[in-house]
Amino acid sequence: MSAEAEFVVTVDQNAYLSVGATRVDAVVAVTATGDATPAVPTAALELLIIDTSGSMQGDRIASARAATAVAIEQLRDGVLFAVISGATSARQVYPKRGAARADPQTRAEAVTAVRKLSAGGGTAFSNWLTLARQIAEQHPGAIRHALLLTDGQNGDGRGVLEQTIEECIGVFSCDCRGVGTDWNVAEVRKIASALLGTVDIVAKPENLAADFHAIMNSAMGKRVADVSLRLWTPKGAQVKFVKQVAPEVEDLTAKRVQTGPLHGDYPLGAWGAESREYHVCVEVPTQAIGAEMLACRAMVVRGGSTETLAQGLVRAVWTDDDALSAKVSRKVAHYTGQSEYADAVEHGLAARRDGDERTATMRLGRAVALATAAGDREKLEMLAKVVDVDDAATGTVRLKSKVSDEAEMELDIRSRRTSRVRGEG
């Protein structure tokens, strides 16, 4: 089997538009296949950024040490790596500078160093990310990935974190985890979203090791460093939005980098053997009945190059047959509902925190109705910890008077995860 992933693009849409219609929606599925363990290891850099601020004292720092050791043990031979201790400042735990190359000796040395980690000081994400960026910049072309663990809220001055994140975009990707319930979801999501990573809560410190194991397992399966979705549209047409809709919702619209007069790239990060789906919405100039046009060419390209790895076509055909134009793609409908669910939860929880009970009830009720229509029991179970449901189908709910921090954070974070269309993988 090939050492590098092979990409396939498929497009799901209803190409037929009614008279005067200009909007084209499609779900573009990108699938990479191949052996999970390349015969020739791809150059890779792993950065483990561990919160060692004062709030980590006790079982949190003990569990962080154990989880970091688990992550180190999973590094395959030849992978470059470094461990960073993050508090008010950032320092390298292993190696002393730069990155080490994983082998039995360096892994053992790193685990020994990690066992000495202790908690103290404040929290300044900007210093942690800056040190990670400085290491990552020494290894252009490699798959550069970071795992950031925190348990607290950022103490940077206004605008400092945002500026630091901007400097890290395109240098490395970053999965973020929050242990306990004292951290700020919006703060950590800001890092993960900008750096093409994931965010999740690990409420109980003893579960950190299993979570780190899963993240490293995924990271070690990546084999293509930088992949982008390039969208070409004809003159007069324009991309309205691009959203990743599976495995979770992430709006990519603002990440567009113009790469030509008629096309732009949306960074997708590193890839292993996996599948992701994107909702692409294009506005086209209306045409006469019977006319057909290519509304968009969706290409998977290697980042910073013109090498096309796979492509799919989004079409537009105008018809006066209402039966044809009225149909909605099953996938487009499904993921439109999933995106609306994520928005409803996010805005509902924000209104609840602001004391706006009317808006919170309305938005969380809408989330219940959408989850019910989708038959998503997992989402309904999370919502039931925040609202009492009187009528699930209509979204008639009452806010619970007492909600645990864990339940609210879990609902907020996991609202963006989506299920695939029924009957598909």
Side-chain angles (χ1 to χ4, degrees), residues 83-200:
V83 182
I84 295 171
S85 167
T88 305
S89 60
R91 69 176 178 87
Q92 278 197 238
V93 176
Y94 186 86
K96 294 299 182 185
R97 62 179 64 86
R101 192 172 297 278
D103 61 30
Q105 180 177 339
T106 57
R107 283 192 290 267
E109 290 173 353
V111 169
T112 298
V114 164
R115 285 176 179 153
K116 298 175 183 175
L117 284 175
S118 60
T123 302
F125 292 160
S126 63
N127 291 329
W128 311 1
L129 294 172
T130 295
L131 180 53
R133 175 180 60 78
Q134 290 169 345
I135 299 170
E137 284 178 337
Q138 298 171 29
H139 304 282
I143 296 173
R144 297 172 291 184
H145 171 259
L147 168 56
L148 184 152
L149 173 70
T150 187
D151 80 328
Q153 302 193 15
N154 185 38
D156 283 315
R158 186 175 181 181
V160 174
L161 177 60
E162 289 75 8
Q163 178 60 39
T164 302
I165 292 172
E166 282 294 319
E167 294 168 353
C168 293
I169 290 175
V171 181
F172 64 94
S173 63
C174 187
D175 288 314
C176 300
R177 293 295 181 268
V179 60
T181 58
D182 298 326
W183 53 288
N184 185 306
V185 174
E187 269 181 359
V188 177
R189 177 179 280 156
K190 191 181 301 179
I191 299 171
S193 180
L195 301 184
L196 304 176
T198 61
V199 59
D200 205 353

Side-chain angles (χ1 to χ4, degrees), residues 9 23 60 100 114 142 169 183 208 221 234 240 247 264 290 298 321 346 363-364:
V9 172
R23 172 171 168 153
R60 291 182 182 177
V114 164
I169 290 175
W183 53 288
L208 273 175
K240 300 299 290 182
D321 185 338
E346 181 177 345
R363 300 297 287 160
L364 292 172

Side-chain angles (χ1 to χ4, degrees), residues 387-409:
V387 296
D388 291 315
V389 180
D390 292 330
D391 187 326
T394 62
T396 304
V397 303
R398 289 170 286 114
L399 300 181
K400 285 184 179 293
S401 57
K402 292 184 179 179
V403 177
S404 72
D405 291 339
E406 180 181 346
E408 180 175 337
M409 294 171 76

Side-chain angles (χ1 to χ4, degrees), residues 42-49 68 71-76 78-84 92 94-95 98-102 110 131-132 135-136 139 142-148 171-175 212-223 270:
T42 307
L45 171 70
E46 281 297 325
L47 300 165
L48 303 172
I49 309 170
T68 306
I72 291 168
E73 294 293 350
Q74 282 187 263
L75 295 168
R76 66 172 181 262
V79 169
L80 298 163
F81 75 103
V83 182
I84 295 171
Q92 278 197 238
Y94 186 86
R101 192 172 297 278
L131 180 53
I135 299 170
H139 304 282
I143 296 173
R144 297 172 291 184
H145 171 259
L147 168 56
L148 184 152
V171 181
F172 64 94
S173 63
C174 187
D175 288 314
F212 275 32
H213 184 280
I215 292 174
M216 293 306 296
N217 187 49
S218 173
M220 290 297 98
K222 304 296 184 188
R223 71 191 65 186

